[in-house]
Amino acid sequence: MKLKPVFISLFILLSCFGYSQLKTITNQTTYPFWINIPQKESTEKQPVLIFLHGKSLSGTDLNRVRRYGVLRAMDKGRKIPAIVVAPQLAKGNWNPDKVLEILEYVKKNYNVDESRIYVCGMSLGGYGTLHFAGKYADKITAAVTICGGGNTNDACKLATIPIWIQHGDKDYIVPLSESQKIVNAIRKCNDKANLIFTIIKGGNHGTVESIFHEDAMYNWLFKQKRE
């Protein structure tokens, strides 16, 4: 029993070490954000993965952003081979110019592989993902959007990059038709667009968060590379 405090102290120390690369950056860009830097960043160019959260995580407490999505998956042990960036929106909708501001900051300050810039988002963050990718398709390698939607005016730009759109068929918060609408618009613009549309049988607005804890999304994203 005397060894118990030692084991507890060691556990705390190892836990803190495990998160040593995850930190917050504030007062540098309009949106404050979490960033996780892989150890290889000092010697090798790294891809960037931007995660845009949904409305329920908006506010001024950055810890809220860890409640679901990419950061939640990392907190539960997932290792992501990229510079992970997770900004927080105080209120309203995501502004693509302010997301770009963060991307430019990261590119300026870290060892970034600019041929591998990815963005993903859920719900309001899904809309934000397609808005950002639609305005700045030339800066994005690929995008994944979950239970969101998009502006059909962006369809032709979105058709120029790989996109995976996922939505549950039991979503009563953001209806499946929101994703279907932007999918139809992209396909109308270019029926050969690199677009995957996955309808998750029985998936509701909350259960589709499980996608962030599975391999498929990350494996697909990190296979994409811009020429």
Side-chain angles (χ1 to χ4, degrees):
M1 293 299 292
K2 291 182 180 180
L3 292 177
K4 188 173 181 181
V6 176
F7 285 122
I8 293 174
S9 298
L10 181 60
F11 175 78
I12 293 172
L13 179 62
L14 291 174
S15 297
C16 292
F17 179 77
Y19 294 125
S20 63
Q21 299 294 320
L22 183 62
K23 64 179 183 180
T24 60
I25 294 182
T26 59
N27 302 318
Q28 298 297 315
T29 56
T30 305
Y31 293 146
F33 60 96
W34 287 96
I35 188 167
N36 188 75
I37 309 299
Q39 291 182 342
K40 293 182 179 180
E41 182 267 341
S42 61
T43 57
E44 299 176 19
K45 290 185 179 295
Q46 297 295 309
V48 174
L49 175 60
I50 301 170
F51 166 67
L52 303 182
H53 64 72
K55 185 177 180 180
S56 66
L57 303 190
S58 298
T60 56
D61 177 4
L62 267 168
N63 286 312
R64 293 176 66 86
V65 183
R66 296 172 73 159
R67 290 185 179 179
Y68 68 70
V70 173
L71 294 190
R72 175 64 174 161
M74 291 172 64
D75 282 347
K76 295 184 74 172
R78 176 165 291 275
K79 307 299 182 185
I80 299 178
I83 297 172
V84 176
V85 178
Q88 185 179 37
L89 177 69
K91 60 181 179 179
N93 298 319
W94 287 102
N95 183 320
D97 298 331
K98 294 176 181 178
V99 177
L100 180 65
E101 182 186 13
I102 291 176
L103 176 58
E104 294 300 331
Y105 175 90
V106 172
K107 286 161 60 174
K108 180 179 178 181
N109 290 279
Y110 299 95
N111 198 10
V112 170
D113 181 353
E114 295 192 32
S115 70
R116 302 178 70 202
I117 307 292
Y118 312 106
V119 59
C120 65
M122 180 174 172
S123 192
L124 181 67
Y127 284 91
T129 293
L130 292 187
H131 195 185
F132 177 55
K135 186 168 185 178
Y136 295 110
D138 59 322
K139 299 182 182 296
I140 302 301
T141 305
V144 171
T145 177
I146 301 166
C147 64
N151 188 333
T152 55
N153 292 330
D154 293 331
C156 289
K157 281 194 173 182
L158 291 170
T160 65
I161 61 173
I163 295 178
W164 188 359
I165 294 175
Q166 305 184 57
H167 212 123
D169 65 353
K170 301 299 183 183
D171 191 332
Y172 302 113
I173 306 299
V174 178
L176 174 61
S177 58
E178 285 294 286
S179 283
Q180 186 71 67
K181 182 171 60 176
I182 190 64
V183 166
N184 292 344
I186 293 171
R187 287 176 174 164
K188 182 178 180 181
C189 186
N190 181 359
D191 61 1
K192 292 182 171 57
N194 188 349
L195 171 66
I196 303 172
F197 181 36
T198 300
I199 297 175
I200 302 164
K201 298 298 182 182
N204 62 38
H205 199 67
T207 59
V208 293
E209 195 269 344
S210 63
I211 291 168
F212 293 105
H213 303 271
E214 299 164 357
D215 293 336
M217 181 187 81
Y218 304 101
N219 290 344
W220 180 83
L221 276 173
F222 294 135
K223 282 194 300 186
Q224 313 302 321
K225 188 170 183 178
R226 191 167 68 248
E227 295 296 331

